[in-house]
Amino acid sequence: MTSEEFAPTVGVSSTHPKDMPKDHADLPVWNAENWLYEDWPVGQKIRSLRRTIGEGESHLFNTLVTDIHPYVQDQMFAETEGVFGRRLVAGAFVFSAGLGLVATNCVNAFSYGYDKLRFIKPVFIGDTIYTIRTNLDKRPKYQEMGLIRASYEVFKGEGELVLYCEHLQTVRYRDATAFADQVEKK
C-alpha cells in the first residue's frame, strides 16, 4: 500500500459547535479526524514521533494512580534488590503514553476495549519510545456503528518491542443502510 492511497483527514472539517461564534465554529479542528467506518483502511500502518520518558512524568503518573511499588518508586531497592538494577517505568504508563502517541481524536469513533495487552520488555526512566499502529480488520457490528481493530506496538530505543495490544473501537457508518443486513443479531 502506498501513502497516496490514504488521504489525510486531520483538520479537514469542523464539529460546528453551537456555543461559539459561527466563524470560529466553521474552522477545521486541529488534531481531530472525522473519518467514518467506510474510510478506515485495513492494512494501513502509521508510526508516531518518539518521546523520552522522564523521571518527573514517571513519578507523577505513579503518584496519580497510587503505584508505590518499589520497582517504580524506590531507587535503593531497584539498585540493590531488584532484578533489573534500576527503576522501571510503570507498565500502565508505558501503555498510556505509547497509545497516546498514535491516538486519534476521531469524533465518530468510540473505544470498545483492549485485547492481548502484553508487557514484553521493561522500560526504564530515560528510555525513548515510539509506537506503530496497524489497522487489522473491521466488521459491521451494530445498526449505526461497525467495529474496527488495530494493533499497537510500542518500541524503545532502536526498535526493541516492549508492549503489544489490540484496540477495538466502534465507528459510525457513513451509510448505515449499506450494512443493515450484516449487523450482529442480538
Side-chain angles (χ1 to χ4, degrees):
M1 302 184 132
T2 66
S3 60
E4 291 80 35
E5 292 178 67
F6 304 111
T9 60
V10 176
V12 294
S13 74
S14 177
T15 57
H16 302 285
K18 304 280 188 250
D19 58 351
M20 66 173 58
K22 183 176 177 357
D23 60 331
H24 294 183
D26 290 342
L27 291 171
V29 179
W30 171 250
N31 200 24
E33 297 86 11
N34 66 339
W35 48 267
L36 296 154
Y37 178 82
E38 293 88 335
D39 303 324
W40 198 75
V42 172
Q44 179 188 36
K45 289 183 178 243
I46 61 168
R47 176 188 48 81
S48 73
L49 295 170
R50 295 180 295 187
R51 70 169 290 185
T52 301
I53 298 177
E55 180 168 1
E57 63 188 336
S58 179
H59 180 72
L60 180 58
F61 180 87
N62 296 340
T63 302
L64 288 171
V65 301
T66 320
D67 183 351
I68 57 170
H69 192 283
Y71 273 103
V72 299
Q73 286 294 101
D74 185 337
Q75 184 70 29
M76 292 173 69
F77 171 88
E79 287 179 356
T80 61
E81 299 178 53
V83 173
F84 305 105
R86 54 190 166 152
R87 279 193 349 237
L88 299 169
V89 175
F93 183 53
V94 176
F95 171 76
S96 297
L99 273 60
L101 287 170
V102 290
T104 65
N105 295 309
C106 181
V107 297
N108 300 309
F110 311 92
S111 189
Y112 189 77
Y114 294 90
D115 286 341
K116 302 179 183 177
L117 175 59
R118 299 292 180 269
F119 301 103
I120 298 165
K121 297 262 178 112
V123 174
F124 304 103
I125 293 169
D127 280 347
T128 299
I129 64 170
Y130 65 93
T131 304
I132 294 176
R133 185 185 78 210
T134 303
N135 295 349
L136 298 174
D137 57 45
K138 64 183 183 178
R139 64 183 167 89
K141 177 135 179 94
Y142 300 113
Q143 188 173 4
E144 297 297 321
M145 294 182 287
L147 188 67
I148 62 174
R149 185 170 59 99
S151 68
Y152 292 77
E153 296 171 293
V154 180
F155 298 89
K156 73 176 184 179
E158 296 180 4
E160 185 177 11
L161 182 64
V162 298
L163 183 144
Y164 177 88
C165 74
E166 294 177 4
H167 187 196
L168 303 168
Q169 290 182 291
T170 52
V171 182
R172 291 180 183 164
Y173 302 121
R174 175 176 288 108
D175 179 10
T177 60
F179 301 98
D181 63 338
Q182 300 173 50
V183 300
E184 291 182 6
K185 307 295 185 227
K186 292 183 182 180

